[in-house]
Amino acid sequence: MQVSPLIWTLTIVFILALLAFDFFFHVRKAHVPTLKEAAIWSSIYIGIAIVFGLGVLIFGGMGPGSEYFAGYITEKALSVDNLFVFLIIMSSFRVPREDQQKVLLFGIVFSLIARTAFIFLGAALINSFAWIFYFFGLILLLTAGNMLKPKKDEKDEADNLIIRLARKVLPTSEHYDGDKLITVENGKRVLTPMLLVMVAIGGTDILFALDSIPAIFGLTQDVFIVFTATAFSLLGLRQLFFLIDGLLDRLVYLSYGLAAILGFIGVKLILHALHENNVPFINNGEHVPVVEISTGVSLTFILGVLVVTVVASMLSPKGKAHAAISGARRHATAYVDLEYTADQSERNRVFTRLLAEEEAIRSLQPKYRQWVRDEVELMALLKRAHDEHDASVTK
C-alpha cells in the first residue's frame, strides 16, 4: 500500500496527540479511574482503531484492510497478556492505586518507542535478507513453546536482573513520595520505588517487542500497517487494565490461545520463507513450492482461537477458582498496606471486592476450597484484612 509522507506525518501527529490528551486530561492528576470511565475510554480507543481500519479498507483495499485487522487483533491479544506482567510488577512494588495510571502510560509510551524501533529494524532486515523470515518464524515457535511452560513465580517477574542491579548500585528508598522519581531521605537524594517500577516495565516492554513484532510481520510486511496496528493496539491499554482488572486472573487459558496463534504465525512465516527461499543449503537456493496461508485464513484462525480461549476460560471451574484466590490475595494485601491508597472510597472498593472473592471461594468445589485452606499465609492475610476493617469501623 502506497502511503504518502503527508499521511505518515498526520498519523504520527494523531497518535502523539492521543497520548498527550491521555496524560494531560487523565493521568497528570493522580486518581483511581471508575469502571464507567475505564469502559467509556476503552470503547473510544477501540472505536478509533476500528474507524482507522475501515479507512485502510476503503482507501487501501481488501488486502491491506484484512492485514490491518489481523495485526491489530493479534497485537491487542498480546498486549492483554502483557497486562498480567504489569499487574504482577505493580503488585510486587506496591504501587499506590492512584499512581498506577501514570506507570501504565509510561509503559505504553516506552513500548511504542521500543516497538517502532524494532519495526523499522525488522523492515530493513526483511528488505536486505530474505532468510530473516526463517529467523522470525523460529522466534515465534520458541515463544509459543515457552508460553506452554509452567508460569514463573510472581516475585521472579518483578525482581529481574535490571532491578536487582539498580537496587545494588543506586540509592533507593523503601517508600513512595507521591509520583516523584527522586526524593530526599535523611538529607540525601535517593530514587523512589516509582522509578524502579518504570525500569521494570521498560525492561519487560523490550522483551514483549521481541515477540510481538515478528508476529505482526508474519501477517503483513507493510510498514505503515505494522506501525499503525501496533500503535492502536497499545492506545487504550491503560483504560483496558482498569476495565478488566478483575478478569485478568480468570483468563487461565489465554497463554494456550496465544501459543497457538504465535505457533500458527511462525509456521506461516517459515512457509513464506520457503516460498521466497534463496538460502544456498535449502533446495540449492531455489524457491520451494509450498502452500502459503492467506490473510483471510489467518484472520479467521486468530479470531476463532481467541473466542474459544476466552469462552473456555470464563466457563472453566479452574478459571473461576484461580481468579477468586488470586484476587483475594491481591486485594487483602492492598487493604492491609496503608501506603497502597489514601482514598477511603478506594479502600472500601478493595474490601468489597475481597468480600465478593471470599464468597466466590466458598462456592467453589471442595478441591479448590482446599487450595485456600492449605495456604496458611493466605488465610492469615485474609484474617488480618478483616481485623483491620473491623478496627476501622469501630473507630
Side-chain angles (χ1 to χ4, degrees):
M1 188 173 72
Q2 295 296 319
V3 180
S4 68
L6 177 62
I7 298 300
W8 263 105
T9 302
L10 291 175
T11 302
I12 293 172
V13 169
F14 179 62
I15 291 170
L16 292 176
L18 288 175
L19 290 171
F21 175 83
D22 212 14
F23 176 77
F24 287 107
F25 289 93
H26 292 115
V27 174
R28 185 169 61 170
K29 183 180 178 181
H31 73 286
V32 180
T34 63
L35 189 63
K36 180 180 178 181
E37 178 186 340
I40 289 173
W41 284 103
S42 291
S43 301
I44 289 173
Y45 278 106
I46 292 173
I48 290 172
I50 292 174
V51 169
F52 186 88
L54 292 175
V56 174
L57 193 66
I58 293 169
F59 295 104
M62 182 62 70
S66 300
E67 290 175 356
Y68 169 84
F69 281 110
Y72 173 75
I73 292 169
T74 300
E75 291 297 308
K76 198 69 174 179
L78 288 170
S79 69
V80 171
D81 189 53
N82 297 354
L83 289 180
F84 282 98
V85 181
F86 289 170
L87 179 62
I88 290 169
I89 290 173
M90 289 194 290
S91 297
S92 176
F93 281 95
R94 299 158 50 233
V95 180
R97 185 74 169 179
E98 294 92 337
D99 296 318
Q100 288 183 3
Q101 291 198 93
K102 187 163 291 186
V103 174
L104 286 168
L105 186 60
F106 166 82
I108 291 167
V109 172
F110 189 90
S111 183
L112 186 56
I113 294 171
R115 280 164 167 74
T116 300
F118 280 112
I119 286 169
F120 287 103
L121 176 61
L125 290 173
I126 287 171
N127 290 331
S128 302
F129 310 103
W131 55 263
I132 201 68
F133 287 109
Y134 288 114
F135 180 67
F136 282 175
L138 182 60
I139 287 177
L140 294 184
L141 291 175
L142 290 174
T143 302
N146 286 331
M147 281 190 165
L148 299 177
K149 293 180 180 179
K151 293 291 186 183
K152 295 192 299 181
D153 185 82
E154 290 190 357
K155 292 181 181 178
D156 293 337
E157 295 279 6
D159 191 23
N160 57 41
L161 177 62
I162 297 174
I163 295 302
R164 291 198 298 272
L165 286 174
R167 285 188 186 277
K168 185 175 293 187
V169 175
L170 302 172
T172 309
S173 69
E174 293 295 327
H175 305 286
Y176 289 90
D177 185 5
D179 59 2
K180 294 179 180 178
L181 303 182
I182 300 175
T183 188
V184 177
E185 195 173 78
N186 298 324
K188 295 182 179 179
R189 292 169 64 84
V190 295
L191 306 180
T192 69
M194 182 65 73
L195 183 59
L196 294 181
V197 174
M198 292 185 173
V199 170
I201 285 183
T204 55
D205 277 334
I206 293 175
L207 296 178
F208 292 149
L210 291 174
D211 297 337
S212 68
I213 297 307
I216 195 169
F217 269 120
L219 298 169
T220 177
Q221 283 84 61
D222 188 308
V223 177
F224 183 75
I225 293 176
V226 171
F227 172 74
T228 53
T230 301
F232 284 116
S233 71
L234 293 172
L235 293 172
L237 195 60
R238 175 185 64 78
Q239 293 86 348
L240 189 64
F241 174 85
F242 290 97
L243 180 63
I244 66 172
D245 186 8
L247 294 178
L248 282 174
D249 290 315
R250 190 73 180 265
L251 300 176
V252 290
Y253 298 126
L254 180 62
S255 59
Y256 297 103
L258 291 176
I261 290 171
L262 292 181
F264 172 83
I265 298 175
V267 171
K268 184 177 186 293
L269 274 170
I270 290 175
L271 289 175
H272 181 72
L274 289 170
H275 184 267
E276 301 290 328
N277 179 63
N278 59 9
V279 179
F281 57 82
I282 298 178
N283 197 36
N284 295 319
E286 299 294 328
H287 301 330
V288 180
V290 293
V291 176
E292 288 209 79
I293 302 170
S294 68
T295 304
V297 171
S298 300
L299 182 56
T300 302
F301 179 84
I302 292 166
L303 284 172
V305 168
L306 288 176
V307 169
V308 170
T309 298
V310 172
V311 171
S313 295
M314 298 305 291
L315 296 178
S316 166
K318 179 183 177 182
K320 182 180 178 182
H322 187 267
I325 295 170
S326 297
R329 179 184 289 107
R330 188 165 62 251
H331 289 113
T333 301
Y335 192 81
V336 300
D337 182 3
L338 298 180
E339 284 193 357
Y340 172 70
T341 180
D343 187 344
Q344 187 57 43
S345 64
E346 171 62 11
R347 286 181 62 77
N348 292 338
R349 184 196 72 84
V350 169
F351 192 75
T352 301
R353 289 285 296 274
L354 175 60
L355 292 178
E357 286 151 355
E358 288 179 316
E359 181 60 33
I361 290 172
R362 284 191 286 271
S363 68
L364 295 174
Q365 297 174 11
K367 66 175 182 179
Y368 296 123
R369 290 202 302 271
Q370 192 60 41
W371 285 359
V372 184
R373 296 193 188 100
D374 291 342
E375 293 193 36
V376 178
E377 185 178 333
L378 175 58
M379 294 297 292
L381 180 62
L382 295 176
K383 183 179 184 304
R384 183 183 169 192
H386 279 274
D387 289 344
E388 292 200 9
H389 179 73
D390 293 341
S392 68
V393 170
T394 56
K395 285 182 179 178

